Amino acid sequence: MFDRIIGGDRQDADGGEWVGGARVGWVDPEEARDAAWDAYPSADNPEPARSPWSGTQRPALTHPEGAQASWSESAGWPESAFEQERPSRAEQPEPGRRKPEPGRRKPESVRRNPEPTAESQPGHVRLVRVLLVAAAVLGLGLVINVAASFFGDGVGGALRWLVPPAIALVAAMVVALIDAFSSEERPAGGRLDVPVVIAIVAVLVGVGIGGFALTAGAEYVAGYVTGKESGEDRLLKPAAKTGAGLTVTVENVTYTSHFTRVQVVVSNGGDQSLPVPHDDVTFTGPDGTSLKADGFRSDWPGSVPAGGVERGTITFTGHLPDELTTATLNLKSGETTFAVPVALSN
């Protein structure tokens, strides 16, 4: 009894031995049974360590939902679902900043044919397009009239010059109305897409007034350059003069804004061609005022073939005084001088 209390050394019947107050070499049967049961996996112990009491075959391991094995992954194997879903430190948004939403890939048809961002504007007209159409029509008409002035007998009447701006005005109106009705089918354009009312006013002012003013200016320039301005006929009756086989007849004397044009017919009754130069041709008044022919603006043949008739226009820069009622046309053919007197109206 005394040895038990003070921890003396002794040996029990079941094999245990007391050494220095501690029992050595003895195993409790209940603890051994519990250790054998702990060798099997359970919810509290998914994968226990192998023990001497475990079987020769390792039991199959199962993990409850949400648990994760503690073994290390091999290289090349995909990460577990838990590690794939967890964002990395670079992908984690900063505190206070909203995480950006992932972009959605648009369908192929939308990427090839993107929808217009600008909304359509019903009743709006592309003013630049309308004015370009009007300018093209007006410019073409002016070019035709100017060419006719150089190669024709004159610049023509006012009606011929009014046709281009009138056609340009009508064309601009038609294009503006068509553009206004079709504006719902197209996206809105730039700053010059204006309502149809403003477009009509701009066409009337720009093409109507501006086009007619431009046409008047073109007619003036063409007439001044060619000398074929329209004017008033001052000749009272035709006058003729014959000599050296030639007959010179004055058929018209027209006073324009800047020039005096004399229309002359020369007939050659001889058997050889005769020169009729315009260099020394003059138009002289009884008071001594004389006008010299302008070779650039004159339309003169220069010679008359044998048995032929030539018609030409001699242009003089300026006018004789308005109060003069008579004048003389002077020209030469070789050594022969022709002085054809004409009667003029006031």
Side-chain angles (χ1 to χ4, degrees):
M1 187 68 179
F2 179 77
D3 292 337
R4 289 183 181 180
I5 296 175
I6 64 176
D9 297 338
R10 66 184 179 83
Q11 186 174 3
D12 294 339
D14 52 4
E17 183 180 359
W18 290 86
V19 179
R23 196 173 187 181
V24 180
W26 178 83
V27 177
D28 190 355
E30 293 182 0
E31 292 180 359
R33 185 179 63 252
D34 293 339
W37 279 106
D38 291 340
Y40 291 92
S42 63
D44 298 331
N45 189 12
E47 188 180 4
R50 296 178 66 121
S51 64
W53 295 275
S54 61
T56 57
Q57 295 183 355
R58 189 174 182 178
L61 302 180
T62 58
H63 301 282
E65 183 179 358
Q68 183 182 3
S70 60
W71 63 76
S72 60
E73 300 289 346
S74 301
W77 284 87
E79 297 180 354
S80 63
F82 177 77
E83 294 180 353
Q84 292 179 0
E85 294 179 358
R86 184 174 60 185
S88 62
R89 180 174 298 179
E91 297 176 353
Q92 292 180 357
E94 298 180 3
R97 179 177 296 180
R98 185 178 179 182
K99 183 178 180 181
E101 298 181 0
R104 296 182 179 179
R105 185 178 179 85
K106 296 183 179 180
E108 187 69 19
S109 59
V110 177
R111 294 197 304 270
R112 292 182 178 178
N113 301 316
E115 296 181 358
T117 56
E119 297 180 357
S120 61
Q121 297 180 353
H124 277 62
V125 177
R126 292 171 289 188
L127 187 58
V128 174
R129 180 171 177 264
V130 174
L131 295 180
L132 287 177
V133 171
V137 175
L138 180 60
L140 179 61
L142 293 182
V143 169
I144 294 175
N145 276 337
V146 171
S149 300
F150 275 93
F151 300 103
D153 295 335
V155 295
L159 180 61
R160 191 179 80 180
W161 289 90
L162 292 178
V163 171
I167 296 177
L169 180 61
V170 173
M173 286 294 185
V174 172
V175 173
L177 293 177
I178 294 176
D179 211 29
F181 283 114
S182 62
S183 60
E184 296 181 357
E185 301 176 0
R186 69 173 188 272
R191 298 179 180 179
L192 292 181
D193 280 13
V194 298
V196 63
V197 177
I198 298 179
I200 292 176
V201 174
V203 169
L204 290 176
V205 175
V207 182
I209 299 177
F212 284 100
L214 181 63
T215 301
E219 181 184 6
Y220 176 86
V221 172
Y224 183 82
V225 172
T226 61
K228 300 175 182 179
E229 298 174 333
S230 58
E232 180 184 1
D233 184 10
R234 298 285 301 275
L235 185 65
L236 293 178
K237 61 180 181 178
K241 185 74 173 185
T242 302
L246 293 178
T247 301
V248 179
T249 303
V250 177
E251 294 185 337
N252 185 283
V253 177
T254 301
Y255 278 29
T256 69
S257 299
H258 303 91
F259 310 103
T260 298
R261 291 203 313 271
V262 180
Q263 187 173 351
V264 181
V265 178
V266 181
S267 58
N268 184 3
D271 54 359
Q272 60 181 356
S273 177
L274 297 176
V276 185
H278 65 272
D279 296 339
D280 297 329
V281 179
T282 59
F283 194 63
T284 306
D287 61 348
T289 305
S290 179
L291 305 177
K292 189 175 182 180
D294 187 340
F296 175 76
R297 294 181 172 91
S298 299
D299 183 14
W300 189 248
S303 63
V304 181
V309 178
E310 294 289 343
R311 185 184 301 272
T313 302
I314 304 174
T315 302
F316 303 91
T317 303
H319 310 111
L320 294 177
D322 292 339
E323 63 272 10
L324 297 180
T325 57
T326 60
T328 303
L329 177 65
N330 303 294
L331 55 86
K332 288 184 177 181
S333 176
E335 299 297 331
T336 305
T337 301
F338 295 88
V340 185
V342 294
L344 304 174
S345 61
N346 290 332

